[in-house]
Amino acid sequence: MWILIYLYFQSWLKEVSVKFSQLNDEQRNQTVDHIIKLSGTTQLHLLYNRLEQLVCLDFLKLLPPELREQLLLYLDPKTLMVCCCISRLWYHVISSSVKIWQNACRRYGFQINRDFLSSDGPYWKRFFIDMNYRRVQLRKGLCFDHHVYDRHLRKVTAVYYANGKLATASESKIIQLWDCETNVCLLTLRTYASVASIRFDQSWIIVSSYLGHLVSWDMVTGQRTVEYQRHVGAVFTFDYSKDLGVLVSGSSDTKIKFWSLKRGTLLTTLQEHTSWVLKVLLCSFPRLDNSDNRRHLMFSMDKSKVRVWAVSLGFVWKEPEGLYITSLYSIPLHMDGMNLFIPGLHFDNAFLYFVKQDPHLRGHSLLCKWNVRLGKMAREIRLNVKIKALLGIGKRYAAVVAHLNNFGSSNFFAFDMNNLDLVAVSNLPCSRPSTTDCSQLILGERDWLNGLDGKNDKGVLLAAGVEDNTVHIIKWLPRRPLFSDSNNS
């Protein structure tokens, strides 16, 4: 008997289905609505479950693993964190993917250590969360500690940082070398003139003066070694190359001079500038096959232009014959005939970076990226701040000092050059530039400008001579990892 009932029901159901398929959309809607009204609790529960399966399809479950991962790569890191909360499946798929979290790190400018490429997806997720927390703290200015070196009697005119040490010079004609880790003065030297610029390495300390000469001291013994005589104006800037064995200086007498680094003899003088030479930069620039490390570029800057020079040693029978200097081209700095000089000139072996101030847009600046090989502008980044000095450029971030009215009490900041997001802020006491190139300001460790990696956010961030005759030091506070193993990368 039940078999006949079942067959009759199947026949009736087939007949109803055929008639339902012949209805138009409006008639179908009325039929479904009528059936819902006639349904009881059991039927409505069944209808709810079926609708959830049909309407709320989990496409992530349906896609193949390769396509699933490729699709998630398009999501920004913030959205990824939200997606981890959707379901257990989504959490497992996103958290276990190395590729997804490494891509999230690159989006925020975090460095991926090539020597430690873990295949553990949760590790890279923890690394991203840890670095992102540091990034949030940076934007609030909570990652820095401030120190003061106050052994100078008069205004500090020049500072320079390298390898954990800081050299300072003041109008009291005293040069001091500090260990920034222990805050201890290691060496004190006296000079005969106020220092305009200072540099040092493991071998010697070199300074330039407002009287037109340069002097070097042995780093170990503190004995004066070489004197470079002289310009007829203040020497605001200099640079040197051990590969070429030369020192180059720029002065207010509008001349650029090349000196023998070890002997102090004058090699040649360039007179192409018509105003004060405010910056010289001597950089190694090997051929594309890296075959010659004695080939250099020099950049010289005055208030209206940057000149680009090729500098190399000539050789005869593998012996140095002489120094060859060729002017390549010049880059104008003025906008609409107005010269608004902004200190800062940086070269990353491919592009030259400098800042122009727009006279028509008050409070705006242009960060210029110049392609040196092609001799043309690669990019101009408009910044909604009035920049006081360009301190440093990395592969990802740029560091600048702005005027106080841009960010309230903060005047140091770093920004992401890819998307112009603010990366770090801090407060630096007010100080007037001691030279046109702001030689009393120096950026400390620079590797973090290439992106945070969990290890490079330490040491000295910035040093500055301020108007109360002290040196103000900003240091990184130690990072406290949210996860114990995230700092192994």
Side-chain angles (χ1 to χ4, degrees):
M1 183 67 182
W2 62 270
I3 297 177
L4 293 176
I5 295 174
Y6 173 77
L7 292 175
Y8 175 78
F9 175 74
Q10 292 296 324
S11 175
W12 175 83
L13 186 62
K14 184 177 181 181
E15 183 180 351
V16 170
S17 301
V18 171
K19 291 183 178 180
F20 184 80
S21 63
Q22 295 173 350
L23 301 177
N24 57 36
D25 287 341
E26 184 177 354
Q27 292 170 336
R28 289 184 181 185
N29 292 341
Q30 292 178 3
T31 303
V32 170
D33 186 55
H34 184 69
I35 292 175
I36 291 175
K37 291 179 181 179
L38 297 176
S39 300
T41 305
T42 304
Q43 291 76 42
L44 292 176
H45 181 36
L46 175 65
L47 180 63
Y48 174 80
N49 290 334
R50 290 295 176 87
L51 285 175
E52 186 178 19
Q53 295 175 8
L54 293 173
V55 178
C56 304
L57 286 176
D58 190 346
F59 65 90
L60 206 63
K61 186 187 297 184
L62 303 176
L63 293 175
E66 297 81 5
L67 187 57
R68 177 192 303 168
E69 185 176 61
Q70 194 64 33
L71 182 64
L72 291 171
L73 287 174
Y74 286 95
L75 299 181
D76 62 89
K78 186 176 180 180
T79 305
L80 280 175
M81 298 300 295
V82 174
C83 290
C84 285
C85 303
I86 290 178
S87 68
R88 290 184 179 180
L89 173 69
W90 283 56
Y91 177 85
H92 173 74
V93 169
I94 296 173
S95 299
S96 61
S97 173
V98 174
K99 195 173 181 180
I100 287 174
W101 291 108
Q102 286 188 351
N103 183 64
C105 289
R106 293 188 185 97
R107 280 199 177 195
Y108 277 0
F110 307 147
Q111 290 191 61
I112 304 297
N113 191 339
R114 299 296 180 184
D115 297 329
F116 183 81
L117 290 179
S118 172
S119 59
D120 180 19
Y123 165 84
W124 289 110
K125 180 183 177 182
R126 293 193 298 271
F127 175 79
F128 169 80
I129 294 174
D130 203 357
M131 289 295 96
N132 189 52
Y133 179 75
R134 184 67 157 176
R135 176 176 173 267
V136 172
Q137 296 296 96
L138 278 173
R139 296 185 66 173
K140 296 179 180 179
L142 303 178
C143 296
F144 308 119
D145 192 16
H146 296 252
H147 301 261
V148 174
Y149 297 166
D150 58 358
R151 290 179 57 179
H152 288 281
L153 302 177
R154 300 180 65 183
K155 181 179 179 180
V156 176
T157 57
V159 294
Y160 186 77
Y161 176 87
N163 301 320
K165 296 180 177 61
L166 180 72
T168 65
S170 68
E171 291 179 350
S172 54
K173 303 176 185 178
I174 294 177
I175 300 168
Q176 293 178 330
L177 184 67
W178 299 79
D179 186 323
C180 294
E181 184 175 354
T182 60
N183 297 327
V184 172
C185 182
L186 304 175
L187 180 66
T188 300
L189 301 171
R190 292 188 178 274
T191 183
Y192 300 115
S194 294
V195 173
S197 185
I198 185 170
R199 291 194 62 177
F200 69 90
D201 58 24
Q202 295 178 350
S203 303
W204 46 48
I205 299 176
I206 305 177
V207 301
S208 66
S209 77
Y210 288 99
L211 296 182
H213 65 281
L214 300 96
V215 181
S216 67
W217 284 267
D218 186 277
M219 177 67 83
V220 178
T221 64
Q223 297 297 315
R224 182 181 292 217
T225 55
V226 182
E227 188 164 359
Y228 308 87
Q229 295 276 7
R230 82 171 58 212
H231 287 270
V232 296
V235 181
F236 295 129
T237 176
F238 68 91
D239 201 356
Y240 61 89
S241 166
K242 291 186 175 181
D243 292 330
L244 295 177
V246 300
L247 181 145
V248 57
S249 57
S251 169
S252 61
D253 62 9
T254 74
K255 295 180 177 61
I256 298 172
K257 293 182 182 289
F258 281 80
W259 315 81
S260 170
L261 185 59
K262 294 183 178 180
R263 299 189 304 272
T265 55
L266 180 64
L267 301 177
T268 187
T269 300
L270 306 178
Q271 305 185 51
E272 274 71 9
H273 285 277
T274 56
S275 57
W276 292 4
V277 180
L278 305 175
K279 183 70 175 179
V280 292
L281 201 60
L282 193 58
C283 305
S284 176
F285 193 65
R287 302 182 189 278
L288 293 175
D289 58 0
N290 296 320
S291 61
D292 186 5
N293 64 350
R294 294 177 300 271
R295 185 168 174 259
H296 283 59
L297 286 178
M298 184 184 74
F299 306 97
S300 57
M301 187 181 199
D302 60 29
K303 66 178 183 179
S304 61
K305 61 182 174 295
V306 177
R307 284 190 174 273
V308 183
W309 311 75
V311 182
S312 61
L313 285 174
F315 284 80
V316 176
W317 299 104
K318 298 184 180 180
E319 293 296 327
E321 181 192 37
L323 193 66
Y324 292 89
I325 305 169
T326 306
S327 177
L328 300 179
Y329 54 83
S330 63
I331 309 168
L333 297 178
H334 57 78
M335 299 181 67
D336 297 335
M338 297 183 66
N339 298 330
L340 297 173
F341 172 74
I342 305 297
L345 192 66
H346 300 273
F347 182 58
D348 65 359
N349 293 324
F351 298 97
L352 183 70
Y353 295 86
F354 53 90
V355 175
K356 292 181 179 180
Q357 198 75 50
D358 193 333
H360 301 296
L361 294 175
R362 186 176 180 181
H364 289 67
S365 305
L366 288 178
L367 175 59
C368 301
K369 180 180 180 181
W370 182 272
N371 189 315
V372 173
R373 290 188 185 274
L374 300 181
K376 66 178 184 180
M377 190 70 72
R379 185 186 178 193
E380 288 186 343
I381 305 173
R382 185 174 295 278
L383 305 174
N384 296 326
V385 292
K386 188 176 180 182
I387 293 178
K388 183 178 179 180
L390 175 63
L391 296 181
I393 292 287
K395 295 179 181 178
R396 189 64 185 252
Y397 306 142
V400 302
V401 170
H403 294 274
L404 278 173
N405 56 358
N406 288 285
F407 287 100
S409 61
S410 299
N411 55 350
F412 167 84
F413 70 96
F415 63 91
D416 191 322
M417 290 189 292
N418 286 3
N419 50 33
L420 300 186
D421 283 348
L422 195 62
V423 175
V425 299
S426 187
N427 178 36
L428 186 68
C430 294
S431 62
R432 293 183 179 180
S434 57
T435 67
T436 51
D437 192 43
C438 281
S439 60
Q440 89 282 12
L441 279 172
I442 189 71
L443 194 67
E445 302 295 341
R446 296 171 181 262
D447 185 58
W448 68 275
L449 292 176
N450 297 323
L452 297 172
D453 66 357
K455 293 182 178 181
N456 56 15
D457 51 345
K458 59 184 179 181
V460 173
L461 172 75
L462 178 68
V466 296
E467 293 183 352
D468 59 358
N469 303 338
T470 63
V471 179
H472 194 87
I473 310 293
I474 303 178
K475 295 183 180 181
W476 291 85
L477 286 172
R479 183 174 59 88
R480 297 179 180 177
L482 299 177
F483 306 96
S484 60
D485 61 345
S486 64
N487 60 352
N488 294 329
S489 63

